[in-house]
Amino acid sequence: MSQATLTPGETSPVPAPAAPSTARRGPAGALLRLFTSRREATIFIVAVAIIIYFAARTSAFYSYANIVTIVQYMAPIGVIGVGEVFLLTLGEIDLSAGQIFLISPWIVVWLQQAGLPIGWAITVSLLCCVVIGAINGLITVLLNVPSFVTTLGTYFSLLGLVLIVSNDAQADMPGTTGMFGQVFGISSWSEIGWALAIVVVLHVVLKRTRFGMHVTATGGNLLGAAEAGIPVRRIKVWSFMILAFGAGFIGLLDSIRIQSLDPASPGTTVMFSAVSAAVIGGTSLLGGRGTVIGATIGAIVLGVLEDGFNLIGVSANEFTLVTGLVILVAMAINVQLSRVGARSR
Amino acid sequence: MTAPGVDAGVPVLRTEGITKRFGAVVALRGVDIALARGEVLGLVGDNGAGKSTFVKIVCGFQRPDSGRILVDGNEVHLHSVKDARAHGIEAVYQDLALVPQLSVYQNLFLNREVTTLGRLGWLSTRKMRAEAKAYLDDIKVSIPNIEAEAETLSGGQRQAIAVARATRQNAKILLLDEPLAAMGAKESALIIDLVKDLSSNRGVSILVIDHNYAHLFELCDRVNVFQQGRVTFDRRVEETSLEELTELMVSEYRRQVMAGHVELGDAGTA
């Protein structure tokens, strides 16, 4: 409550500004609103520009084989990225998602070795991933641990678990044969097909359902959402579970495609790429604003950059440096744009 | 500004002998108020006089040590904000209520969304938009674009939306905390019109807390002055004046200074 004033009749000297209407009208405006917002548009233009650049530099870029390479690279980043969009929109983050992506095929291997049929092994593995997500969420909301810390803990725990149980030895991924293998990873377009399906579902969930609206509400105004009776903790735990499921599922597909597992590979690269995809796509780290479409385009940008630099002969070491700089520039532009946007409103 | 006959019948909200103590500090020493249907009652008093504590008790945020709260003549026990809301009592805070990133109509329907497809919770966007527009027209709140995000609205518009959400969800007793603070003339007019429309045309009863007497005279039918945990002055606005209220508060302040309760240096915060 503000201070008492003993001067009756005094009115506030601060007039509230009139709010201009920001609506874009007409069919073109409706179309624009439907497909994109300002921030998604930015990353979309960046994506088109770099695709044109690499296509002009080398014809190898738009060969069939190369396009397959790109989509296979971006599928895990896209799926984990859109999952992170839910958490970032809530003002949370999951650093363990990359390790969930890596442990899910290992769980299948261990269960198979224990004598479970492949179908059951995969089902139980996905359940385990969802439980890991639930643990992340429950520790975060019940013990009030920042999710950054919670998931850092689960990240190291899962990494250690894989190293211990696998005895530091590589393994072959089961389930790669027959129709099953084709549908779940072997066929060139299977991984990206599943990834796109997940992206579409999560986009619809975020923008068109009550749950998605409550995710935005919780991240945008935690206290206000809770006051309105939204179960903010449950919303957060569910979001951790959705991301964990997506990460585990796409991890299975990726391993079936590659057909072998390396216990030493850390999940940080794919996780950081996914968070980068979400953020350069226009999702705010402060919560309240998330775009699944933006994160998907962000994943395309990262995939095209990695592949394009490879093709034009930039070494892997230089590529890593350039990627870092590109992410910095893209994020800086996005933050500036949103500031300008907020001021012009 | 008062609907005819509001003084008749049982008060919508009545409190009897509400007391509250925080350790050695006695915040409320027996507060009695009566709020009629469709009445706007202003609560005024120095900081520490007890009006904030009283309002927190009425909206279920705190429990009284003793005393009774009656809604429509029936005693109620408000253990939580949810309890209070179930009895139609709701506090509206301008900056707390809305989600800045959601649109006007989404905020109006927050957690009361119209959905289809059962547990999938598919949002019936078109229906919510139409209902939101109809409701806002009904209570004469003009918002140019109900698709606009709440953060693009002015403070007055945000407050109006927050009030509209509460009344749409059948709140019959609203608590407004400094509803005209930091608002220009145009914004103030929006809220004053809304408060008058809701009270006289829809029978909503409203408690307004404000330090600014001019605001109270514009909004209220009646004012109650809180002093040292009690209501010491109860008048209809047409029976009192800015001068009388000011004199009352200043003389009370002087009396406290004389009695050594307040240091002169506290003037800034008193």
Side-chain angles (χ1 to χ4, degrees):
Chain A
M1 196 168 297
S2 72
Q3 306 263 300
T5 163
L6 285 173
T7 7
E10 183 188 76
T11 46
S12 163
V14 191
S21 169
T22 51
R24 287 159 291 198
R25 303 207 176 274
L31 202 68
L32 201 64
R33 265 204 309 282
L34 192 65
F35 287 107
T36 169
S37 76
R38 194 197 309 256
R39 295 202 214 176
E40 289 158 359
T42 325
I43 189 68
F44 181 74
I45 291 165
V46 170
V48 170
I50 61 170
I51 287 170
I52 291 174
Y53 172 75
F54 286 120
R57 280 290 298 272
T58 163
S59 63
F61 180 77
Y62 47 83
S63 71
Y64 177 79
N66 189 54
I67 290 170
V68 169
T69 307
I70 295 175
V71 298
Q72 282 173 347
Y73 174 84
M74 60 166 276
I77 296 173
V79 170
I80 299 172
V82 297
E84 294 279 6
V85 165
F86 276 63
L87 289 177
L88 296 173
T89 305
L90 286 166
E92 306 287 348
I93 194 168
D94 187 346
L95 301 180
S96 71
Q99 211 56 44
I100 297 173
F101 167 83
L102 289 176
I103 203 172
S104 79
W106 278 107
I107 297 175
V108 172
V109 170
W110 301 331
L111 290 173
Q112 267 241 311
Q113 287 167 356
L116 228 58
I118 179 78
W120 279 107
I122 283 177
T123 311
V124 174
S125 164
L126 288 175
L127 275 175
C128 289
C129 293
V130 172
V131 169
I132 295 167
I135 292 170
N136 277 336
L138 289 171
I139 292 176
T140 302
V141 300
L142 294 184
L143 304 181
N144 274 324
V145 180
S147 53
F148 186 92
V149 177
T150 312
T151 57
L152 193 64
T154 38
Y155 163 74
F156 280 115
S157 309
L158 295 176
L159 181 61
L161 191 68
V162 170
L163 289 172
I164 294 166
V165 180
S166 68
N167 245 333
D168 231 352
Q170 297 206 347
D172 290 330
M173 181 65 192
T176 59
T177 52
M179 190 63 187
F180 182 89
Q182 288 296 321
V183 172
F184 291 96
I186 297 290
S187 159
S188 303
W189 298 94
S190 114
E191 198 177 350
I192 192 69
W194 283 104
L196 281 178
I198 291 171
V199 163
V200 168
V201 168
L202 289 185
H203 173 71
V204 166
V205 167
L206 187 60
K207 294 294 173 201
R208 298 289 313 181
T209 70
R210 188 163 194 249
F211 178 82
M213 197 175 132
H214 288 182
V215 167
T216 304
T218 303
N221 182 352
L222 183 67
L223 210 61
E227 275 284 293
I230 292 173
V232 293
R233 290 172 159 187
R234 207 182 307 162
I235 299 275
K236 286 188 177 184
V237 174
W238 271 108
S239 297
F240 276 102
M241 288 160 70
I242 289 171
L243 169 56
F245 177 84
F249 180 72
I250 203 73
L252 288 179
L253 300 191
D254 214 52
S255 308
I256 290 174
R257 176 173 68 80
I258 298 166
Q259 302 187 13
S260 74
L261 301 177
D262 178 2
S265 56
T268 41
T269 312
V270 64
M271 180 275 299
F272 279 127
S273 299
V275 172
S276 305
V279 175
I280 64 179
T283 293
S284 166
L285 281 166
L286 302 173
R289 237 174 248 293
T291 149
V292 164
I293 292 177
T296 312
I297 304 174
I300 294 174
V301 166
L302 294 180
V304 168
L305 274 182
E306 157 112 41
D307 178 80
F309 279 129
N310 235 327
L311 287 180
I312 64 175
V314 176
S315 82
N317 298 341
E318 286 164 337
F319 163 74
T320 308
L321 176 62
V322 171
T323 308
L325 295 176
V326 166
I327 289 170
L328 279 179
V329 170
M331 288 187 189
I333 289 174
N334 248 326
V335 170
Q336 290 306 316
L337 271 180
S338 62
R339 242 181 236 162
V340 172
R343 219 179 292 134
S344 72
R345 284 200 190 104
Chain B
M1 83 200 267
T2 309
V6 290
D7 288 328
V10 184
V12 156
L13 176 71
R14 181 182 192 90
T15 67
E16 292 173 354
I18 300 286
T19 65
K20 180 76 181 177
R21 164 195 285 277
F22 298 99
V25 181
V26 182
L28 300 177
R29 297 165 193 272
V31 177
D32 305 321
I33 67 149
L35 179 66
R37 186 178 136 83
E39 187 181 35
V40 185
L41 173 61
L43 305 181
V44 61
D46 280 348
N47 287 345
K51 53 189 196 318
S52 312
T53 306
F54 177 71
V55 162
K56 280 178 187 159
I57 287 171
V58 170
C59 69
F61 194 73
Q62 277 172 0
R63 304 209 55 200
D65 295 335
S66 66
R68 305 204 304 156
I69 300 172
L70 297 97
V71 173
D72 292 328
N74 304 315
E75 185 169 1
V76 294
H77 298 277
L78 308 174
H79 299 273
S80 67
V81 174
K82 213 172 160 183
D83 273 356
R85 202 172 288 158
H87 289 287
I89 305 171
E90 185 149 351
V92 177
Y93 300 100
Q94 171 185 340
D95 292 319
L96 232 68
L98 303 187
V99 178
Q101 295 89 351
L102 290 180
S103 68
V104 169
Y105 81 87
Q106 287 173 321
N107 269 296
L108 262 182
F109 282 85
L110 192 66
N111 205 30
R112 300 284 189 285
E113 297 86 356
V114 182
T115 58
T116 55
L117 303 181
R119 286 184 55 85
L120 276 181
W122 188 266
L123 296 171
S124 303
T125 311
R126 195 173 302 170
K127 201 165 170 200
M128 285 192 280
R129 263 192 226 126
E131 274 183 35
K133 208 164 171 40
Y135 186 72
L136 291 178
D137 285 349
D138 206 26
I139 59 171
K140 302 182 191 71
V141 172
S142 105
I143 301 287
N145 176 20
I146 58 165
E147 305 267 353
E149 289 176 7
E151 71 178 0
T152 68
L153 301 180
S154 65
Q157 289 172 321
R158 279 202 296 273
Q159 173 118 318
I161 300 301
V163 168
R165 179 170 75 200
T167 54
R168 205 192 70 83
Q169 294 172 3
N170 294 324
K172 55 185 177 181
I173 301 162
L174 288 184
L175 302 157
L176 302 181
D177 187 3
E178 305 203 349
L180 303 182
M183 277 185 206
K186 206 173 139 192
E187 297 290 299
S188 296
L190 177 74
I191 297 303
I192 292 168
D193 291 348
L194 177 62
V195 162
K196 289 185 177 168
D197 182 64
L198 289 173
S199 56
S200 44
N201 297 336
R202 297 185 157 251
V204 176
S205 307
I206 300 172
L207 280 178
V208 178
I209 315 176
D210 217 312
H211 288 98
N212 187 319
Y213 306 149
H215 289 166
L216 287 173
F217 275 88
E218 285 189 277
L219 285 166
C220 302
D221 301 318
R222 198 154 57 93
V223 288
N224 279 3
V225 176
F226 273 67
Q227 283 175 329
Q228 299 187 327
R230 269 195 198 92
V231 175
T232 55
F233 181 87
D234 177 5
R235 287 277 199 296
R236 303 193 57 78
V237 286
E238 57 270 22
E239 290 164 357
T240 183
S241 62
L242 271 175
E243 290 71 26
E244 189 184 12
L245 276 184
T246 312
E247 184 51 40
L248 188 73
M249 303 299 283
V250 172
S251 62
E252 163 68 15
Y253 174 67
R254 288 213 186 92
R255 198 189 59 73
Q256 286 184 30
V257 173
M258 295 302 190
H261 292 315
V262 182
E263 299 279 324
L264 267 175
D266 288 352
T269 56

